[in-house]
Amino acid sequence: MTATGTEQLPIHDVLDELRACLRQRHEAVLQAPPGAGKTTLVPLAMLNEPWLNGRKVLVLEPRRLAARAAAARMAYLLNEPLGQTVGYRIRLDTCISEQTRIEVVTEGILTRMLQRDPGLEDIGLVVFDEFHERNLDSDLCLALCLQGREMFRESKPLKLLVMSATLQGEAVARLMRSAPILTSEGRQYPVTTTYGRAYQLKESIIDPTIKTVERALAEQTGDVLVFLPGQREIRQVQRQLHARFASPEYNNVQVESLYGGLSLEQQQRVVQPAAKGVRKVVLATNVAETSLTIEGITAVVDSGLVRESVFDPLTGMTRLATRRVSRASAEQRRGRAGRHSPGICYRLWSEQQHERLVAQPTPEILRADLTPLALQLYAWGVQDVTELDWLDAPPLPAMTQAGRVLQATGALFANEEQTLQLTPHGVRLAQMPLHPRLAHMLLVGCDVHATETACLVAAILSERNPVSGDGADISAAMSILLAERRCPAELQGWFKRIWQQAREYARVATDIHKPRRFALNVEQQDVLGVLLASAYPDRIARLRDGVEGNHYQLSSGRSATLPEGDSLIATPWLACADLGGQVGQSSDRIFTAIPLNQDSFSEVLSHLVSEQHRVEWDHRHDRFISEKRLLVGKILLSSESLTDVSEEAKGEALREVVNRKGLGLLSFSPKLQQWRGRIELLRASYSGSENPWPDFSDEGLLDTLDTWFIPHALDVQKLDDFTRLDIKPMLLGQLNWPLPLELERLAPEMWAAPSGSGVVIDYTQNPPVLPVKLQEMFGCEESPTIADGAVTLQVHLLSPAGRPLQVTQDLAGFWRNVYPQVRKEMRGRYPKHPWPEDPFCAVPTARTKRQMKSH
């Protein structure tokens, strides 16, 4: 079977080589630029290959419109209707028959085919088209195909062909067992490139885009393709172009939009040639880069921007980020102007900025929510992603976050070895063609006998919701779908598409899930809230106390706000589906939500409520708390005091606060500090094998809180209570008998000076200090010691006014060597006090000379 009526396309030059390659090998990589004909002619060229042996060729396309267009083109080349030799399977649309030998599918469909039949027994060749787009599903499908054929197709291996326009072919070839790389030069007419001025991401691109479109229409004769980052910019540019094109000079210009949220019929209309005499301006996102051919384009206006979903595993949120395109994407966009004739590309950025662009776009697997991928891996039987061969391995943080989501939706459970395994509920979720969150919501909808409502909500959330209503409230869209409000004319296509998708979801849900015989008790007005809370348990929101009515706490712990004027403002509880914000911000904006009845947590949503016994020190209010708390994630639902708190739990809380705030929290009087110092001195000077003296240093006391402190502090309730505790008895209890007596003997509080005075020893210094007036030490030649002579006191000899004259531990040396100079200096300053020439023979005294004579 061969194609008829085909022009000589560039891909013809490599078809024989490709056929020969796949006869010898089971894998190959084909690099061919857009327009080479690879998508349609390669599958047809494989149909008569003997190794196919009656099996099918499966062609994967990243987009639904491209899949259907490719299938239609191949059927046309065979002069057959669609669904005969060539068919397709995409979301909401299937066209195949028993005669179909080439199936064009989107990647999600191949994933489910692999789960049903890991070896793909009836498939001879899988073709990965447009692989350079590096969609999450394409990376997953390639990894599963590689392992599946290794495990189940040893005798008749599954052949794999990866095709791409711009691809790092060497890396893909290495992944596929050093597969051969074939290259087609393609057919590309020359494209002139012009550059604009350098601009920053924060600048608006609307005005430059409008001016450049007008320039392109003036300088060129064909249609214009405009690349913009997203739908918001498309609508803004479209609105201004319609206003400008109202003048007669533009009466033959037709403005069209092209983005992923449009229906297949709308997308198909855009890619068709314009009517004779009419010029088209197509405003498109990156959906038009490679996989779609738009007839008549001779000029491209490129903003150089793309809007990507970026998943933050720390918050569990997917945020839209506007970024500059890669050089590879810019080249793809430029090439659209030279498909059928010479063209021109107007780049809105400077040539210097172009040189600084990254070479390739970031693969989706490195920036996306990996919950769907994780669910499919568990269904496949893989718990460690390294078991599979990846071009880029899934990042661990995103996989960890995905596991938490799957556990929250009941898809996973932790076994005795704390290994996550798929539950029967998870098996059902993996069979459903939508995000696991929404799949879980569908099955909850079945259990509460609200299947139709759940399917409609899932369909709304699967694509952009064009119904603004009164803000974030999703019930505005539901009221239109349920005919409670008139559907505007511009939403008729959306209305039809949502109901079509909802009916498909209902079929899938009822096929794999048997609803409860008796519905869970949910009031009709609470159904939407229960459904959204089931799908997004980490996005349940509660109104914050004491702040404006649009500030909420999320069950994930983050903050969120409603825009000013939103109808949901001040609603106590919300179930949120769509949130967004900027990277690095602590608060998210709520885009889609519904009121949630708090009573639902005591019934249908009771599994989301966790009980926590909080026995700890509240550092915010500096008090001890003991309460039973009911939590929804990190939101406090209710609390009540605990009447029975164990001493162990109370002690742990007290230990934590003392360790955190330090011993300064307790009342250590100067006298008590001296007492501790005496014990520390004896402990440090002890030379035996087992030291009987306890460690009363700060570190030692903190290490032994359980022994000396906690048993005596169980009545503490607030911070001030710590200072009222009498610490001395607690520490004294740590001295075994006869240590208290030994303490007085070995490290006395006072030392008897030769004058007869009792001088207090300062044990807070090392060595201990004896501050004594010089005259009271006359006749004392030996330095004073304690601890049976093991410790020599440091004598601070003071003047009659109490000022230090000398610090020494060698009294004899002081008297002989230093005292004469001190006497010379001091006798004139203090003439009333004795300053004898021979201090060894003088009488020690604390009196003046006159007091000594009168005595």
Side-chain angles (χ1 to χ4, degrees):
M1 184 177 296
T2 58
T4 59
T6 62
E7 55 182 317
Q8 188 66 25
L9 293 172
I11 198 67
H12 280 105
D13 296 338
V14 298
L15 287 180
D16 288 340
E17 184 182 1
L18 179 60
R19 278 190 286 254
C21 176
L22 287 176
R23 287 169 189 165
Q24 298 175 2
R25 293 287 304 267
H26 303 304
E27 52 280 313
V29 175
L30 175 60
Q31 294 183 153
K38 61 183 182 301
T39 299
T40 53
L41 295 185
V42 167
L44 293 175
M46 299 299 126
L47 274 179
N48 295 325
E49 289 299 287
W51 48 260
L52 202 57
N53 195 26
R55 291 185 174 89
K56 294 181 180 180
V57 174
L58 204 62
V59 182
L60 268 74
E61 291 293 335
R63 294 183 173 86
R64 291 179 296 157
L65 180 59
R68 195 163 69 172
R73 177 62 178 171
M74 283 188 276
Y76 169 79
L77 294 176
L78 292 176
N79 196 25
E80 292 181 356
L82 260 174
Q84 195 166 328
T85 301
V86 182
Y88 64 87
R89 279 194 283 174
I90 60 177
R91 181 165 65 93
L92 299 180
D93 194 4
T94 298
C95 184
I96 58 173
S97 66
E98 293 183 357
Q99 291 77 39
T100 300
R101 297 190 59 205
I102 297 177
E103 279 192 36
V104 188
V105 301
T106 47
E107 289 129 333
I109 289 176
L110 176 56
T111 304
R112 291 187 291 278
M113 292 174 65
L114 282 161
Q115 296 288 11
R116 289 192 297 268
D117 177 14
L120 296 179
E121 293 296 336
D122 62 341
I123 305 297
L125 171 66
V126 177
V127 180
F128 292 82
D129 195 21
E130 306 292 356
F131 192 76
H132 64 274
E133 294 194 13
R134 295 297 307 282
N135 290 337
L136 185 63
D137 279 335
S138 63
D139 276 19
L140 172 63
C141 287
L142 181 56
L144 297 185
C145 282
L146 287 170
Q147 189 181 71
R149 74 171 186 176
E150 182 178 327
M151 297 174 63
F152 303 104
R153 294 284 295 270
E154 290 186 6
S155 59
K156 297 180 179 179
L158 176 70
K159 292 184 184 289
L160 303 174
L161 173 61
V162 174
M163 302 196 306
S164 175
T166 59
L167 180 68
Q168 295 169 307
E170 294 78 9
V172 180
R174 285 194 301 270
L175 181 71
M176 298 172 62
R177 285 59 167 172
S178 299
I181 301 175
L182 289 77
T183 301
S184 171
E185 294 302 324
R187 183 185 65 186
Q188 179 73 33
Y189 290 94
V191 176
T192 303
T193 304
T194 69
Y195 288 93
R197 66 172 182 84
Y199 73 91
Q200 303 300 316
L201 282 175
K202 62 183 179 181
E203 294 183 51
S204 172
I205 59 167
I206 304 304
D207 286 343
T209 301
I210 298 293
K211 293 176 181 178
T212 309
V213 168
E214 291 179 325
R215 175 186 171 187
L217 289 172
E219 294 178 352
Q220 306 299 315
T221 58
D223 297 337
V224 181
L225 174 60
V226 184
F227 283 102
L228 293 164
Q231 296 179 37
R232 181 178 70 247
E233 290 81 4
I234 286 177
R235 289 193 296 271
Q236 291 174 341
V237 171
Q238 188 172 33
R239 187 164 51 247
Q240 292 197 32
L241 286 179
H242 280 151
R244 293 183 182 230
F245 290 175
S247 59
E249 62 180 304
Y250 291 114
N251 59 6
N252 67 329
V253 178
Q254 175 182 321
V255 181
E256 298 279 3
S257 299
L258 182 61
Y259 50 86
L262 295 175
S263 68
L264 288 175
E265 291 73 18
Q266 290 173 305
Q267 292 184 16
Q268 190 66 48
R269 187 185 71 244
V270 174
V271 301
Q272 295 301 318
K276 187 175 182 180
V278 175
R279 300 180 67 185
K280 284 197 305 185
V281 174
V282 180
L283 310 177
T285 61
N286 60 344
V287 70
E289 277 185 19
T290 56
S291 55
L292 297 175
T293 297
I294 305 175
E295 302 292 338
I297 299 297
T298 60
V300 166
V301 176
D302 189 0
S303 68
L305 302 177
V306 63
R307 187 160 294 133
E308 294 179 331
S309 297
V310 180
F311 181 70
D312 183 355
L314 295 178
T315 64
M317 299 294 178
T318 296
R319 311 182 188 283
L320 288 176
T322 301
R323 297 178 171 177
R324 297 191 188 278
V325 297
S326 65
R327 288 199 302 274
S329 294
E331 193 60 27
Q332 288 289 338
R333 295 179 176 190
R334 175 182 176 274
R336 309 303 288 186
R339 285 289 185 93
H340 304 289
S341 64
I344 187 170
C345 175
Y346 301 88
R347 287 174 172 165
L348 300 188
W349 63 98
S350 70
E351 192 167 2
Q352 291 74 21
Q353 285 181 316
H354 182 78
E355 295 301 319
R356 295 195 296 268
L357 296 178
V358 298
Q360 297 287 337
T362 302
E364 191 178 10
I365 199 169
L366 299 181
R367 58 177 173 81
D369 173 10
L370 298 186
T371 304
L373 180 140
L375 179 61
Q376 294 301 327
L377 290 180
Y378 279 107
W380 185 260
V382 170
Q383 294 181 337
D384 182 357
V385 295
T386 61
E387 294 180 29
L388 299 177
D389 295 326
W390 304 92
L391 202 54
D392 292 286
L396 181 58
M399 289 297 293
T400 301
Q401 171 66 22
R404 287 197 288 265
V405 172
L406 293 176
Q407 284 183 281
T409 55
L412 295 179
F413 78 99
N415 59 22
E416 295 179 354
E417 290 78 26
Q418 295 304 304
T419 301
L420 294 177
Q421 290 184 340
L422 210 60
T423 64
H425 180 66
V427 172
R428 290 190 289 272
L429 297 187
Q431 298 171 8
M432 302 176 70
L434 67 170
H435 193 285
R437 290 182 184 269
L438 301 182
H440 172 65
M441 183 183 70
L442 288 190
L443 302 191
V444 171
C446 294
D447 287 339
V448 299
H449 290 194
T451 304
E452 181 181 83
T453 300
C455 292
L456 287 172
V457 173
I460 294 172
L461 296 177
S462 294
E463 60 175 85
R464 187 183 68 86
N465 179 11
V467 182
S468 59
D470 298 319
D473 195 343
I474 197 176
S475 61
M478 288 295 295
S479 64
I480 291 178
L481 293 168
L482 296 175
E484 296 169 356
R485 291 171 53 187
R486 184 180 62 84
C487 179
E490 64 272 16
L491 297 183
Q492 289 295 332
W494 169 83
F495 182 96
K496 177 181 177 182
R497 193 164 63 253
I498 292 296
W499 267 106
Q500 183 183 7
Q501 181 68 79
R503 282 190 287 269
E504 177 64 17
Y505 285 160
R507 182 192 64 77
V508 170
T510 53
D511 281 351
I512 69 170
H513 181 61
K514 184 178 181 181
R516 293 171 179 261
R517 183 176 179 183
F518 299 104
L520 296 173
N521 184 27
V522 180
E523 297 294 333
Q524 184 62 37
Q525 66 271 17
D526 298 333
V527 167
L528 283 176
V530 167
L531 291 176
L532 285 190
S534 299
Y536 302 95
D538 51 334
R539 301 180 191 177
I540 294 170
R542 185 178 191 177
L543 188 66
R544 288 190 180 276
D545 296 329
V547 295
E548 297 181 30
N550 65 335
H551 289 263
Y552 286 81
Q553 179 191 358
L554 297 175
S555 51
S556 65
R558 288 180 61 79
S559 298
T561 59
L562 284 166
E564 295 293 336
D566 196 286
S567 63
L568 293 176
I569 283 180
T571 304
W573 287 83
L574 295 174
C576 306
D578 186 15
L579 298 103
Q582 299 298 319
V583 175
Q585 289 185 348
S586 60
S587 182
D588 298 297
R589 177 180 170 182
I590 301 172
F591 291 109
T592 304
I594 198 73
L596 179 62
N597 188 343
Q598 182 177 341
D599 293 341
S600 300
F601 294 118
S602 61
E603 297 177 356
V604 65
L605 297 179
S606 60
H607 62 285
L608 298 180
V609 179
S610 62
E611 181 178 307
Q612 178 191 76
H613 284 197
R614 188 184 181 197
V615 180
E616 62 185 33
W617 191 265
D618 182 352
H619 291 281
R620 182 178 179 185
H621 300 98
D622 273 329
R623 64 184 181 88
F624 174 73
I625 57 172
S626 57
E627 60 186 15
K628 182 178 77 172
R629 313 172 83 214
L630 297 182
L631 300 168
V632 178
K634 294 185 178 180
I635 298 176
L636 178 63
L637 187 63
S638 64
S639 65
E640 60 182 38
S641 296
L642 287 172
T643 56
D644 185 19
V645 179
S646 68
E647 292 185 0
E648 181 182 357
K650 178 69 175 287
E652 184 177 345
L654 296 177
R655 186 187 317 111
E656 188 272 336
V657 70
V658 175
N659 278 316
R660 179 170 177 171
K661 294 182 179 291
L663 290 176
L665 185 65
L666 308 178
S667 181
F668 284 90
S669 66
K671 190 173 182 179
L672 182 56
Q673 294 287 47
Q674 289 289 340
W675 185 79
R676 286 176 61 198
R678 293 160 64 193
I679 295 173
E680 279 299 290
L681 174 74
L682 295 178
R683 183 176 186 275
S685 60
Y686 188 80
S687 58
S689 58
E690 292 186 10
N691 199 327
W693 297 98
D695 183 359
F696 280 176
S697 67
D698 286 359
E699 294 79 8
L701 291 180
L702 288 173
D703 288 343
T704 57
L705 286 173
D706 288 346
T707 303
W708 68 271
F709 177 72
I710 299 300
H712 306 284
L714 294 175
D715 290 335
V716 168
Q717 296 295 327
K718 55 185 184 299
L719 199 63
D720 290 344
D721 292 344
F722 283 103
T723 61
R724 299 189 181 98
L725 294 172
D726 189 356
I727 305 300
K728 177 73 176 287
M730 300 181 191
L731 297 179
L732 188 59
Q734 304 304 304
L735 293 182
N736 296 324
W737 187 262
L739 293 183
L741 294 179
E742 287 292 284
L743 176 64
E744 300 303 323
R745 183 179 71 84
L746 298 172
E749 283 188 68
M750 294 187 297
W751 182 77
S755 65
S757 299
V759 182
V760 176
I761 304 171
D762 184 0
Y763 285 96
T764 62
Q765 302 186 57
N766 187 23
V769 170
L770 182 69
V772 60
K773 289 184 179 180
L774 181 146
Q775 283 78 7
E776 295 192 63
M777 297 298 287
F778 288 156
C780 183
E781 188 171 355
E782 293 185 4
S783 297
T785 63
I786 57 173
D788 288 337
V791 177
T792 300
L793 299 178
Q794 186 181 78
V795 182
H796 287 204
L797 296 169
L798 309 178
S799 72
R803 297 185 178 91
L805 295 174
Q806 184 67 28
V807 175
T808 183
Q809 285 183 295
D810 179 11
L811 272 177
F814 167 75
W815 294 128
R816 291 185 176 89
N817 303 317
V818 181
Y819 174 70
Q821 182 64 32
V822 172
R823 176 178 179 269
K824 181 179 179 181
E825 294 177 0
M826 293 293 109
R827 64 186 299 190
R829 186 176 299 179
Y830 299 100
K832 296 179 180 181
H833 294 269
W835 297 97
E837 291 187 15
D838 185 359
F840 294 107
C841 297
V843 177
T845 181
R847 298 183 177 94
T848 63
K849 289 187 286 187
R850 176 180 295 181
Q851 290 171 334
M852 292 173 66
K853 288 179 181 180
S854 64
H855 221 68

